[in-house]
Amino acid sequence: MQRKIFTYLSIIFLFLTFLIGLAPQYILGIGITIPFILGISGLIFAILGIKGPTRMILVVLNSFILVVFIVIYLMAFYGFNKP
């Protein structure tokens, strides 16, 4: 039963991270670390969730979203400094 809760929490954090990607001007105004905190939390809950293909899919999706935000973060801070 506890693993099921971790799986549901991972799905919730995955959707929250995805929604932040759709509306960055509102949520990223609060803090730049919010997508990273949600992505890492979703990844941890996915690892602790239900075993099988569900776990694999959630780990891959959370990892992908986290890598996308890391790339966006690096492009924003280091890529746009030199015109």
Side-chain angles (χ1 to χ4, degrees):
M1 185 67 173
Q2 187 177 10
R3 291 189 182 267
K4 216 178 216 183
I5 293 171
F6 287 146
T7 302
Y8 291 141
L9 284 173
S10 174
I11 293 170
I12 289 170
F13 281 121
L14 178 68
F15 284 130
L16 284 175
T17 309
F18 184 70
L19 288 175
I20 288 174
L22 294 177
Q25 64 272 14
Y26 302 114
I27 298 175
L28 292 180
I30 298 169
I32 192 76
T33 59
I34 290 174
F36 298 114
I37 292 170
L38 291 175
I40 291 171
S41 300
L43 186 62
I44 290 170
F45 286 132
I47 291 171
L48 297 174
I50 296 174
K51 293 183 180 179
T54 307
R55 177 191 279 181
M56 183 180 65
I57 290 169
L58 286 174
V59 167
V60 168
L61 286 176
N62 279 307
S63 299
F64 177 72
I65 295 290
L66 192 60
V67 167
V68 166
F69 275 113
I70 288 172
V71 168
I72 291 171
Y73 177 80
L74 290 175
M75 280 178 31
F77 278 100
Y78 299 113
F80 297 129
N81 284 338
K82 298 178 184 175

